[in-house]
Amino acid sequence: MRVLVVAAPLLGHVFPLMPLALALRDAGHEVVVATGGEALRVHDSGLHVEDVVPANVRFGPIALRIMVTHPLVAKREMRGSGRLDFVSRLFGTVGDAMTKPLQALASKWKPDVVVHEPLAAAGSALGVPSIVHDVSLFDGLELTAAVGARMKAEVRSPATVLRTAPPSLAQFPGGDLMRFVAYSGDGEVPQWLAEPAGKPRILVSRSTAPGPGAGRMMDAVVKAAAHVDAEFVLVRANRVEGLPDNVKTVGWVPIPRVLPFCDGIVHHGGAGTLLGALAAGVPQLVEPGPGDRTVHADAITRRTAGLRAHPKEVTPDLLTQLIEDARLQRAASEVRDEIAAMPAPSEIASNWEELTPLK
């Protein structure tokens, strides 16, 4: 079967699709990944990757136009209470730009089914049966419908949805459960980071997507770190000089391979990092913010598998709680086991013909 996998041109959107895409390939299906921009890096996986995003499509200018045209929508979004108003406009615009290149690819390659992440709703506008691959704690069908309603192209209802959210954090009607498997491509892991530190280790990460205030949480952690009995590792640090003795820095690393050697992680609330930490059973401190970040911060706190805080709220006591609170560790372990019990991408791929709308 020919499977077209479609993602918006952001690493955080294409990475969660890769375990299933690779499992489908290993099960004997022909797989092509369609995306653009920085997400084209998944070519390193060995899968065939097509660029379907025009070079003039840039998130910054599109977001700025929305902010100027719809200031109240932008204000709610920055507070983390915008729901889907801003996101649907942003990705609807990107989806319109992707539609013609995707239609040309589909006409040439003739896929049997399309698998797309919710914000790449153009994948359901190709006249081909489609499946939504959830990648966050939002309802993927609701996200696809919201983005599709903003697009010029006719976005049809997907045939089904693969649910990767652990049910104890988020449950939605319909679809099939599939285990979230963290993926962040290849990369070197320093030897010291691939073994226990001898004291608690806290990983500090930030978004791969540029945006205002992207380094504030990392700066706040550095400010408090000297008063915490732990080793801190800054991933893609925004500065490397003047750091406390217990703070180290590292460039791009495959975080899923590092998490087993960490006792906590501080991050921006992106879905891939959040679900990856849950799959590893690592307590997390999440920064609320635009898009899905506030929803994720709230969900992780309700489940007691982590904490939420704005940069100004980060203190040595809070960071100590992240690695010493037994409730956080217990809940994170419970969710890890819950995720491990869900069907793996390889199981979904081995029963692909039964799942797809062509059955």
Side-chain angles (χ1 to χ4, degrees), residues 5-18 33-45 47-53 59 98 117 183 185 208 252:
V5 177
V6 182
L10 293 169
L11 285 173
H13 290 239
V14 71
F15 275 170
L17 307 183
M18 295 306 293
V33 179
T35 185
E38 62 179 5
L40 295 174
R41 281 179 48 184
V42 296
H43 182 272
D44 294 342
S45 69
L47 292 175
H48 181 79
V49 180
E50 289 277 347
D51 188 349
V52 294
V53 181
F59 281 93
M98 294 174 64
E117 50 99 357
Y183 179 94
T208 55
W252 178 276

Side-chain angles (χ1 to χ4, degrees), residues 217-226 234 238-239 242-244 247 319:
M217 179 59 93
M218 192 170 281
D219 289 339
V221 172
V222 169
K223 185 177 180 181
L234 312 183
N238 48 351
R239 64 186 178 99
L243 301 175
V247 177
L319 295 172

